Amino acid sequence: MGWLYRFHLKRALRDRGDMFWSLIFPLVLATLFYASFGSGKDLEQLNAIPTGLVKMTDADAGFDTFLDSLDGGLLELTVMKEDEAEAALRNGTIHGYFVSTTEPSLTVAGTDLEESILGALLDGYLQNAKLLRQIAEKNPLQLPAAIAEVSKSGSWVKATTVSGNETNHNLSYFFALIGMACLFGAFLGMNAAQSLRADQTALALRRSTAPMRRSRIVLGEMLAVFTIQFGNVCVLLLYLHFVLHISFGDRWWLLLPICLLGSITGVAWGVFLGSLRLASGLREGLLVGSSLLMSFLAGLMFGNMKDVVAHYAPVLNKINPAALISDAFYSISVYENPARYLGNLLLLALITAVLTAVSFVQLGRDRYDSL
């Protein structure tokens, strides 16, 4: 079995086309991402949260001033009427809207990171306003100094993980890129499936007539491409961290199961497509189109796309391997939520099991009148 595994390994590594898409292309795209917006230190300029502001007749002038100080930095503030704000919230134009009145309030549509930040801003303002009222009642002479101190709070705000490590929204692009890299293992998987079908290549024809159990040939082929794809994703991860200085948090060893299972899922997707009785060009077009579509929905081209999908069609994020891989990285690097991390891994494992089972059934059904 060992010699068979080594043979398949060497054969797959010599396929320059598949190696380009599964290894070189993700590295090039990562470099372009880094050249476009760096490692995320320009977060305040690039990732202002779209937010609405509804001013009532009894608007709180202090609250309005507080929000104005954040406009153009942490917030992208737009003054609206209440019905306009509700419509903008429904269609995803804004993440939430504040109502400025004697008791300021906030309305959001979800519980993602942006909505949590908006809630924290309102809570912080209300706590500071209460504190200032108490100081005004008990020690009015200290009020100017207290106001000056509270006004510095804008410089205290920064994006962090739960444990306090600095993070940034641009990570979503790199996480989606890793998801895409895992899915591009489908090129290796499709090639492997075609090399097992005697009606596709001369090599597959010779294998079909070899005096060896077909299960051993299939197992050796699958193990070889799994190994190569896992190595490719690990190279990408090392490049992101040590060359581009993208931070993945402190518990980096938990990223390896994501990369391993994501690589297996990508290869399984390619094997599944390769097992379908379709024209070669159609299979390849379906592979490229489906992989890019899943990567797009995971946030590869538009960072907030995964949140938009979660709002309007949440089930898509549960069956999209690229979104699951990206969310698993978020669960470890940003949210530090082990339950969410394990949930993503279980869904990936389920998808992989289904694809693998269907592929083996399809490949096992191949019968030929003559070879």
Side-chain angles (χ1 to χ4, degrees):
M1 184 66 186
W3 68 267
L4 190 60
Y5 168 76
R6 290 192 297 272
F7 168 78
H8 291 314
L9 200 63
K10 291 178 181 179
R11 186 196 61 80
L13 286 171
R14 288 171 181 164
D15 193 316
R16 295 181 179 179
D18 289 347
M19 290 303 295
F20 171 81
W21 288 110
S22 60
L23 175 61
I24 306 301
F25 182 72
L27 293 175
V28 172
L29 198 56
T31 306
L32 293 176
F33 278 0
Y34 182 80
S36 298
F37 41 73
S39 60
K41 293 184 179 179
D42 297 327
L43 171 67
E44 296 82 0
Q45 181 177 355
L46 293 175
N47 295 282
I49 303 172
T51 311
L53 173 60
V54 178
K55 295 185 178 182
M56 309 301 286
T57 54
D58 56 346
D60 185 335
F63 185 59
D64 294 345
T65 302
F66 168 69
L67 293 181
D68 288 340
S69 69
L70 299 174
D71 189 19
L74 186 61
L75 302 181
E76 181 184 329
L77 201 62
T78 304
V79 178
M80 303 175 171
K81 295 181 180 179
E82 192 166 9
D83 56 345
E84 294 175 342
E86 291 178 355
L89 187 64
R90 284 196 299 270
N91 62 35
T93 306
I94 58 176
H95 286 280
Y97 66 87
F98 293 103
V99 177
S100 178
T101 181
T102 52
E103 289 292 335
S105 61
L106 169 68
T107 301
V108 296
T111 58
D112 291 326
L113 184 61
E114 290 82 357
E115 287 81 355
S116 300
I117 292 174
L118 296 179
L121 290 175
L122 178 61
D123 292 341
Y125 172 80
L126 294 177
Q127 291 174 7
N128 287 334
K130 181 180 179 180
L131 177 63
L132 292 176
R133 286 196 298 269
Q134 292 175 348
I135 293 175
E137 293 173 0
K138 297 179 180 179
N139 194 348
L141 295 178
Q142 296 296 323
L143 186 59
I147 293 175
E149 191 66 26
V150 168
S151 66
K152 299 177 183 178
S153 62
S155 63
W156 301 343
V157 178
K158 64 180 179 181
T160 66
T161 64
V162 176
S163 62
N165 298 320
E166 289 192 46
T167 185
N168 62 84
H169 290 303
N170 290 332
L171 282 175
S172 62
Y173 292 100
F174 293 102
F175 291 164
L177 173 63
I178 295 170
M180 183 207 74
C182 290
L183 287 182
F184 272 16
F187 286 96
L188 293 168
M190 177 178 286
N191 196 338
Q194 290 177 338
S195 70
L196 296 170
R197 297 182 59 183
D199 60 336
Q200 298 293 316
T201 65
L203 175 62
L205 177 60
R206 292 196 299 271
R207 286 181 175 179
S208 297
T209 58
M212 183 180 296
R213 293 181 60 180
R214 186 173 178 81
S215 60
R216 293 188 65 188
I217 299 176
V218 172
L219 182 59
E221 184 78 42
M222 294 300 100
L223 287 177
V225 293
F226 288 156
T227 302
I228 294 172
Q229 180 56 19
F230 180 56
N232 290 342
V233 175
C234 287
V235 169
L236 174 63
L237 208 62
L238 292 172
Y239 179 73
L240 290 173
H241 184 67
F242 291 105
V243 179
L244 302 185
H245 305 294
I246 305 300
S247 175
F248 296 109
D250 298 328
R251 296 185 291 177
W252 55 268
W253 61 89
L254 291 176
L255 304 180
L256 296 180
I258 309 173
C259 295
L260 177 61
L261 190 52
S263 300
I264 295 174
T265 304
V267 172
W269 176 241
V271 173
F272 168 74
L273 293 177
S275 69
L276 300 178
R277 292 187 173 277
L278 300 173
S280 178
L282 181 58
R283 279 199 303 267
E284 292 177 359
L286 185 59
L287 186 156
V288 174
S290 61
S291 299
L292 290 178
L293 176 61
M294 288 187 284
S295 301
F296 168 74
L297 294 177
L300 182 66
M301 295 82 167
F302 176 61
N304 291 329
M305 179 54 66
K306 188 157 65 73
D307 297 331
V308 174
V309 173
H311 182 71
Y312 291 101
V315 69
L316 290 180
N317 281 342
K318 302 299 182 183
I319 61 175
N320 179 0
L324 292 173
I325 294 167
S326 173
D327 197 65
F329 269 82
Y330 252 111
S331 300
I332 293 302
S333 302
V334 179
Y335 302 131
E336 301 186 14
N337 186 337
R340 184 167 176 170
Y341 167 79
L342 291 174
N344 288 319
L345 291 186
L346 288 174
L347 286 173
L348 272 177
L350 178 61
I351 292 172
T352 304
V354 171
L355 290 174
T356 302
V358 174
S359 301
F360 269 79
V361 170
Q362 288 288 105
L363 292 172
R365 286 177 176 174
D366 287 343
R367 296 291 185 274
Y368 307 97
D369 292 334
S370 62
L371 293 174

